[in-house]
Each structure stands twice: as C-alpha cells, then as structure tokens.
Amino acid sequence: MVDDSDAPMVRTSQFTSPLLPKNPPSIPRSSGRMSSTFPKRQKILAYTLITIIASSYMYPWVSVGTQIDYYNYRFGPDFFVYLNTAFYLPGLPVSSLQLLWDEQYDLRYGISRLFPFRMMFSLVSMAVTMFAFPNANRDFLLLLTALLGIFTWTAHGTLTPMAGLFPRRAVGFLQFGFQLPNAFALLGVMVLGMYGACDTDIPKVYTLDKRVVFYGISGTLALIGVVCTARLSCMRITREAQGQYQKDLADDSARSSGSLGSEEDQEEEDEDDDVESGRKPLLRGMGNGGFGSPSKLRRSATIVDQNPVLATVRLHRYVLFATIFSSIFSGSFFSKVPSVNGPGAGLGQILYFTRLFSDLLGRIFTFLPRKFLTVTHLTIICILRLLLLVIFFLYVLGLTPKNDVFITALVGVCAFQSGYNAVLVYELAGAKVADEFEGSNTASSVATKALNMSFQYACFAACLCNVLGV
C-alpha cells in the first residue's frame, strides 16, 4: 500500500498555520521534512513503528464494532446506533481544540516533549478503558465508548501530523496502519469463535471469558503502542524531523511578531512577491512590535483572506462531507438490518466486516492509473452513493424485499466507494491547490484543515441523524 510514484500527495500535517503570514522571498521556506539522509534500516524501523502505533489506537474501536451481534442481543438493535454516536460525536470538539491549541503549546514546550506525552496519555487511557469493557452495563458502556472516542481522536490528531514530518513514504505506512486492525479483528473473532451465532447461542458464544480476552488484546495493543511511541520519540530521525518543525514554527511566529520588519514593509514585500510570481494573495501578518508569549505571537497574526483557497476546494469539501456522512450514518444501523433468517442471524457482523474490507479495497484501488479522474467524477460517484443510501434505508425499514446477499453486496459497494473517494478527494484537492497557489505551504495548510474539519462536520451530522433516526 506504499506508493513511491510522483503522483501528487496531500500532506496530512498542518504545520503552517493559516494565522501566519506567508514567507517573504528573502527567507526560504523549509518543506517541514527531514533534510539529511538516514540509513535505510533506521527509516524502515521508523515506518514500522508508525504503522504499529496507528494500529494500536485504531484497533480498540474496530474490536468494539465486531461485537455488534452480542450488543444487539443484550441491549437491543438501537444500542449499536447510540454506540456509534458516542464514539464519533467527540471528534469535532477534540479536533477543534487541537486546531486551536496544539501549535501554541508545541512552540512553548517543544514538540519533542508534547508528541510522546499526547500519544502515551491517549494510549494508556485507551488501554484502561478497554480493560473495563467486558463487565460494563449499558450506560457505562456508552460512557466508556465516548471516552474511547476522545482518546482515539486525540491520538489520531497527534500521530497524523507527526507522520507528515517524515519522508513521503511514512504517510503510506500510516494509512496501512489504519487498516491493519481489520485483519486483526477478523482473526480474533475467528480464533475465539465469536461469530455466526443465533440469538439462542449468543450467551454460549460470547462468554465473559472470551470477551475479557478479546478486549484485553485491544488494551494490550494500546500499551504496545506506548512502547513504540517511546522508541520512535528517541530515534535520531524523529528528533531531526521535530527539530525542523520546531524551527519552522518559531520562524513563522517571529515573522508574525514583526521581528523581520514593520507591518507596512512586510505587506509591501508580500504584495510585490504576489505580483512578480502571479500567486493569489492569501494571508497577511500584523506586527506587534516585538516578541511576546507564544499565545500572543499567534494572536498577532491575522487572517486577511482565506477565501481563494476555500473556494478552490469547496467541491472537494462537499464530496468528502457526503462520503463520510453516508458511511457513518448507514454503518450505525447495521444492527437494524433485517435478515431472511430472522433476528439474531449474525447478519450485522457480516455487514460490519464487509464494510471494513470493502473500504480497504477501495483505498487500494486508488493506486491504479487514473489520468482523467477529476473531482467532478468523484461528485458523480458521490451522488450515486447518496442514492444507494436511500435504498439502504428503504431496506432497513422493510420497504423492499429481503435478501441477505443483496444487502451485503450493497454495503460492500458503498464502502468501496467511501474508501476510494476519501483518499482521492485529499489528493485531488492538494494537487489543485498546489497548482493554483504555486505550491504555497500556507495554502496547503488552509486547504487540508478545511478538509479535515469537513470530515468532522460529517461525523457530527451523522451522529445527530443517528439519534433522530432511532
């Protein structure tokens, strides 16, 4: 799943804040990645650690989803809808707070300290949460799931920018790490025999001992992620990447503070640079007459106009919103899909794994040649996906004939499209922004953050619809 081609790749990190002015031409801008070369063995170790860490915080939620039939039996089909809502709902506030505060604290205390702290705190908290899952009652399960969502989104918002500091290949390993839990979860339920049970057999199949082992593996994997985080943080390849990021962050703050010249001089230089290069003007900074605290430095920069960038990726954001909304909204109702074999036939678990592996297949297909693919094509695919969403809920409501093969195939097609669109929309947006704004890091940062927030808005909207649809 690693691609070394020259195809445009959107950086998953957002290290250049949209609140900071763009760089004057006299000061070269670093790419934010490592400049020196390292032994191949050290790079492979770093990529492997990134993969394991990504899997360690994604696996717990995947493992919870595999127990859909057990929760359906114990608490009713509506419970899985609430469970999904509890997990995805914290994503928007967590991402918003990270967007607001992370760079400020990275500048003040250093990313070399805060990266391992955020990751280790999140992973240890996830481990404790998973160890409490087996004996939890209904309300406590919802609380634990909400906490799991908070820690998962915190870890995700920490590791993803960190991986962006490494060479481009690291992003491929990161994406691979997101998908590995699918195979681990399937292997776990197969080995423990936690599958294919009708209602009368569920108490025998989903025993307490099995659930303790299954969720214990999730917690243990999270603790393994702690060890891998510690190892990754002390590697020289990581320290150099973090040092380059810290330097760029300090340089941006220095420019926004007015230390490189007065506000008028800076604006005139920026305007001249725009005219000469033909780039669209983006952002300006306001001088404050000197250095101050990191928070003051951040507040001293002001946004003049992000609209050119946001207009460029407007359609991409709509496509991503519709794609993620459809995926989460439909996935929350797998427990309510009727089966020709009646309630408790194990169809929910089949649909869950079908979605996981079809999404993975869609992501793999993005590596195939696609010379003429544009965001317009993705929009057409997305419209078809919304039509299939309507068909899915007509089936759930019992307004269409029942057929387990049909509904499984429908879920597979929808998940394939979701995985395909979710990857390509970032790539196409990055390519378009890079083309229109001459590779500006500031423009790329604004675009990526806008897409990420569209993702979280989609999750939030799907959660609201979940509650209304129960």
Side-chain angles (χ1 to χ4, degrees), residues 4 73 97 228 283 373:
D4 284 327
Y73 166 81
L97 290 175
C228 292
L283 310 175
L373 187 68

Side-chain angles (χ1 to χ4, degrees), residues 42-59:
Q42 188 171 160
K43 289 183 179 180
I44 292 176
L45 176 59
Y47 299 154
T48 302
L49 292 172
I50 289 173
T51 302
I52 297 174
I53 296 170
S55 298
S56 69
Y57 72 76
M58 293 300 294
Y59 182 80

Side-chain angles (χ1 to χ4, degrees), residues 94-411:
V94 168
S95 297
S96 299
L97 290 175
Q98 286 187 307
L99 191 66
L100 181 64
W101 288 337
D102 275 5
E103 285 187 2
Q104 294 185 32
Y105 287 101
D106 285 344
L107 181 61
R108 179 179 298 177
Y109 300 110
I111 189 176
S112 60
R113 296 187 184 94
L114 292 185
F115 165 71
F117 172 78
R118 290 173 188 143
M119 284 303 308
M120 291 180 180
F121 176 80
S122 299
L123 289 168
V124 170
S125 300
M126 291 172 69
V128 173
T129 301
M130 295 311 299
F131 291 144
F133 254 82
N135 288 311
N137 57 28
R138 184 183 187 278
D139 293 337
F140 192 38
L141 272 173
L142 290 175
L143 175 61
L144 291 175
T145 303
L147 293 174
L148 181 63
I150 292 173
F151 302 137
T152 300
W153 293 118
T154 301
H156 182 69
T158 301
L159 181 64
T160 301
M162 186 66 212
L165 290 171
F166 289 86
R168 181 171 298 184
R169 174 174 287 196
V171 177
F173 278 89
L174 179 73
Q175 293 291 334
F176 183 60
F178 293 158
Q179 302 302 322
L180 270 182
N182 302 350
F184 291 159
L186 179 60
L187 179 63
V189 299
M190 295 292 289
V191 170
L192 293 174
M194 303 170 71
Y195 65 93
C198 60
D199 276 354
T200 56
D201 295 330
I202 281 182
K204 301 176 183 177
V205 173
Y206 293 86
T207 62
L208 178 60
D209 291 342
K210 289 183 179 180
R211 286 184 283 115
V212 168
V213 172
F214 190 67
Y215 286 133
I217 293 173
S218 300
T220 302
L221 187 57
L223 294 178
I224 292 175
V226 173
V227 177
C228 292
T229 298
R231 181 67 182 91
L232 180 65
S233 299
C234 67
M235 291 180 66
R236 189 166 68 89
I237 188 173
T238 306
R239 291 198 299 269
E240 178 170 320
Q242 292 173 335
Q244 183 62 63
Y245 163 65
Q246 198 77 29
K247 180 179 181 298
D248 289 344
L249 201 60
D251 288 346
D252 283 336
S253 292
R255 279 188 287 275
S256 70
S257 71
S259 61
L260 297 179
S262 67
E263 178 185 354
E264 292 79 4
D265 293 340
Q266 184 69 50
E267 289 186 359
E268 289 176 4
E269 190 171 5
D270 287 342
E271 290 171 359
D272 292 340
D273 182 38
D274 287 333
V275 173
E276 292 174 4
S277 65
R279 288 181 300 191
K280 298 180 180 180
L282 293 177
L283 310 175
R284 296 285 191 274
M286 294 179 61
N288 64 1
F291 289 98
S293 68
S295 59
K296 291 181 180 179
L297 292 180
R298 289 294 302 276
R299 287 195 296 268
S300 69
T302 184
I303 298 175
V304 169
D305 191 11
Q306 290 186 8
N307 290 336
V309 181
L310 298 180
T312 299
V313 298
R314 179 178 292 114
L315 189 56
H316 301 78
R317 294 164 62 196
Y318 291 156
V319 169
L320 183 64
F321 180 93
T323 298
I324 300 304
F325 172 82
S326 301
S327 178
I328 295 178
F329 188 31
S330 60
S332 300
F333 286 83
F334 286 168
S335 61
K336 299 174 76 69
V337 175
S339 171
V340 293
N341 297 317
L347 180 60
Q349 190 178 58
I350 293 174
L351 295 178
Y352 185 78
F353 278 112
T354 298
R355 185 178 76 157
L356 290 182
F357 286 98
S358 296
D359 182 277
L360 173 60
L361 186 61
R363 294 171 186 267
I364 294 175
F365 263 68
T366 62
F367 294 113
L368 296 179
R370 46 182 192 283
K371 292 183 179 179
F372 305 107
L373 187 68
T374 66
V375 69
T376 302
H377 297 128
L378 294 186
T379 304
I380 295 173
I381 296 174
C382 196
I383 293 173
L384 295 176
R385 171 70 169 88
L386 292 174
L387 294 176
L388 294 179
L389 181 67
V390 174
I391 296 175
F392 173 83
F393 278 102
L394 289 176
Y395 189 96
V396 171
L397 294 173
L399 301 178
T400 61
K402 295 180 182 178
N403 188 301
D404 290 358
V405 175
F406 167 77
I407 193 62
T408 302
L410 179 65
V411 168

